């Protein structure tokens, strides 16, 4: 497979200062990109929901990697579905159009696992993406991001614009978002256990009944996969990025409690939502198309994340 030389490329990374973005920038540099040619637009300077801002940031860029998103866990998705739909759709749609009109060579769009139908045969295959409506709590976010896949395919068909679309599974790792109002399940649980330990609690309340399954991809693995696709994948079909390993929320909570040495009782709040019943990705396309295979062991990745939070999270 042909590999794109990043050395002389001017690369825009939206969301490049975020949790995944910092790892993507590091992976770009490791793959030969010139740090001086990587641009990271900050949200305080550029509101990417504005077309003017999108037009400004894509000028003179060769590659755009679009990671910026308004995103959170079940709580935020229930509280602000309109904001999540509008912000993610407008950011992506306008950025893609501005990039095409500015002559950008390639657009890499990072989508979301939330785009898959609520009931999808496990493991999720990319070809099943349109076979049903997403899980209700995160459907507005998932559909907004999935619309960008349609846009990229349409721009490729009409304009010959080279845009690719990646679907990473739930991410985790050091420097994740541990804010309880917007964090995803792993950082939320780590913080919850830590705070229970600080207070000396003997119980740990957890949303749902523990039966749903999830798959998690360590942030450095995700970043490596994104850069590999940037260099070596040029097709219109979406590609999953994951580990192809499934764990139930119950098993996850028990593992985090074990690693953090919390031996209190877990209280399942069954009146709270479970979210999607199962999530596990078929990862064959990424391996076949650009050789990506996840490397970080889940237990070790969790331990790294817990250690980072204990050191930096307060």
């Amino acid at each position: 497979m042909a590999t794109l030389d990043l050395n002389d490329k001017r690369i825009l990374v939206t969301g490049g200062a975020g949790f995944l973005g910092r790892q993507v920038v590091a992976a770009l540099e490791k793959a030969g990109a010139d740090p001086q040619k990587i641009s990271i637009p900050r949200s305080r300077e550029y509101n990417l929901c504005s077309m003017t801002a999108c037009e400004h940031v894509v000028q003179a860029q060769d590659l755009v990697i679009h990671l910026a998103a308004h995103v959170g866990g079940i709580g935020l998705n229930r509280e602000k579905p309109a904001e999540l739909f509008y912000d993610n759709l407008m950011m992506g749609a306008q950025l893609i159009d501005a990039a095409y009109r500015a002559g950008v060579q390639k657009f890499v769009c990072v989508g979301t696992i939330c785009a898959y139908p609520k009931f999808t045969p496990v493991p999720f295959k990319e070809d099943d993406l349109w076979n049903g409506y997403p899980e209700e709590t995160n459907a507005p976010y998932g559909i907004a991001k999935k619309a960008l896949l349609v846009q990229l395919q349409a721009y490729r068909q009409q304009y010959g614009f080279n845009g690719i679309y990646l679907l990473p599974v739930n991410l985790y790792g050091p420097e994740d978002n541990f804010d309880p109002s917007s964090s995803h399940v792993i950082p939320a649980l780590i913080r919850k256990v830590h705070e229970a330990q600080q207070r000396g609690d003997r119980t740990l309340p957890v949303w749902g009944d523990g039966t749903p399954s999830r798959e998690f991809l360590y942030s450095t693995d995700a970043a490596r996969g994104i850069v590999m696709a940037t260099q070596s994948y040029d097709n219109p079909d979406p590609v999953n990025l994951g580990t192809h390993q499934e764990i139930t929320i119950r098993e996850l909570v028990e593992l985090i409690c074990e690693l953090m040495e919390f031996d209190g009782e877990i209280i399942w709040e069954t009146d709270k939502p479970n979210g999607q019943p199962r999530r596990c990705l078929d990862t064959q396309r990424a391996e076949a198309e650009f050789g990506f295979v996840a490397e970080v062991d889940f237990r070790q990745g969790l331990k790294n994340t817990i250690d980072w939070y204990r050191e930096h999270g307060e």
Side-chain angles (χ1 to χ4, degrees), residues 147-206:
L148 305 180
L149 168 61
V150 178
Q151 183 180 4
L152 287 171
Q153 290 173 333
Y155 275 51
R156 180 184 291 269
Q157 181 182 341
Q158 185 172 344
Y159 305 134
F161 185 56
N162 185 12
I164 65 169
Y165 190 89
L166 306 174
L167 286 155
V169 78
N170 299 54
L171 304 179
Y172 75 106
E175 302 184 15
D176 203 342
N177 168 27
F178 288 84
D179 180 340
S181 69
S182 59
S183 58
H184 286 103
V185 60
I186 285 179
L189 287 169
I190 289 172
R191 178 169 178 148
K192 184 173 279 209
V193 171
H194 179 76
E195 290 180 348
Q197 288 175 315
Q198 299 292 95
R199 292 190 300 265
D201 293 352
R202 299 301 305 142
T203 58
L204 186 77
V206 180

Side-chain angles (χ1 to χ4, degrees), residues 221-234:
D221 271 340
R224 189 170 50 82
I226 289 165
V227 172
M228 290 172 77
T230 301
Q231 292 186 280
S232 305
Y233 185 69
D234 293 306

Side-chain angles (χ1 to χ4, degrees), residues 20-88:
L20 175 60
R22 286 192 292 271
Q23 302 296 346
V24 168
V25 169
L28 284 167
E29 292 176 6
K30 190 174 180 183
D34 181 348
Q36 301 300 316
K37 293 182 178 177
I38 298 174
S39 301
I40 302 168
R42 303 304 296 266
S43 56
R44 60 177 174 266
E45 297 172 50
Y46 299 105
N47 175 8
L48 296 180
C49 290
S50 151
M51 183 52 121
T52 305
C54 290
E55 289 171 339
H56 185 85
V57 298
V58 299
Q59 288 305 312
Q61 300 295 331
D62 298 310
L63 306 173
V64 174
I65 301 177
H66 179 43
L67 306 173
H70 187 174
V71 66
I74 290 178
L76 187 71
N77 277 276
R78 293 173 88 199
E79 182 189 347
K80 297 186 173 179
E83 284 183 33
L84 291 175
F85 179 82
Y86 181 85
D87 289 353
N88 289 292

Side-chain angles (χ1 to χ4, degrees), residues 97-293:
D97 186 68
Y100 155 66
R101 287 188 289 106
V104 167
Q105 294 173 20
K106 185 171 184 177
F107 193 103
V108 180
C109 186
V110 176
T112 172
I113 194 72
C114 301
Y116 273 100
K118 179 175 183 176
F119 298 105
T120 307
V122 177
F124 293 8
K125 289 183 165 62
E126 293 93 343
D127 294 343
D128 291 329
L129 197 56
W130 295 100
N131 294 344
Y133 195 75
E135 200 280 321
E136 294 80 3
T137 52
N138 53 39
Y141 171 67
I143 289 171
K145 297 289 274 188
K146 189 153 63 165
L148 305 180
L149 168 61
V150 178
Q151 183 180 4
L152 287 171
Q153 290 173 333
Y155 275 51
R156 180 184 291 269
Q157 181 182 341
Q158 185 172 344
Y159 305 134
F161 185 56
N162 185 12
I164 65 169
Y165 190 89
L166 306 174
L167 286 155
V169 78
N170 299 54
L171 304 179
Y172 75 106
E175 302 184 15
D176 203 342
N177 168 27
F178 288 84
D179 180 340
S181 69
S182 59
S183 58
H184 286 103
V185 60
I186 285 179
L189 287 169
I190 289 172
R191 178 169 178 148
K192 184 173 279 209
V193 171
H194 179 76
E195 290 180 348
Q197 288 175 315
Q198 299 292 95
R199 292 190 300 265
D201 293 352
R202 299 301 305 142
T203 58
L204 186 77
V206 180
W207 277 25
D209 61 14
T211 60
S213 73
R214 292 293 179 264
E215 174 181 337
F216 298 97
L217 181 62
Y218 197 65
S219 55
T220 56
D221 271 340
R224 189 170 50 82
I226 289 165
V227 172
M228 290 172 77
T230 301
Q231 292 186 280
S232 305
Y233 185 69
D234 293 306
N235 295 334
D237 299 324
V239 184
N240 289 334
L241 295 179
T243 62
H244 190 53
Q245 294 176 344
E246 192 176 6
I247 184 171
T248 67
I249 296 299
R250 182 178 294 274
E251 291 166 334
L252 173 65
V253 172
E254 289 170 353
L255 179 55
I256 288 173
C257 288
E258 177 198 331
L259 290 171
M260 297 184 74
E261 300 181 337
F262 177 80
D263 58 1
E265 182 187 0
I266 298 163
I267 307 294
W268 296 100
E269 298 185 307
T270 53
D271 59 323
K272 297 290 198 305
N274 270 330
Q276 192 159 19
R278 290 180 73 186
R279 278 187 192 162
C280 182
L281 295 186
D282 183 296
T283 55
Q284 294 177 83
R285 185 176 289 176
E287 184 172 4
E289 292 287 349
F290 49 91
F292 173 71
V293 178

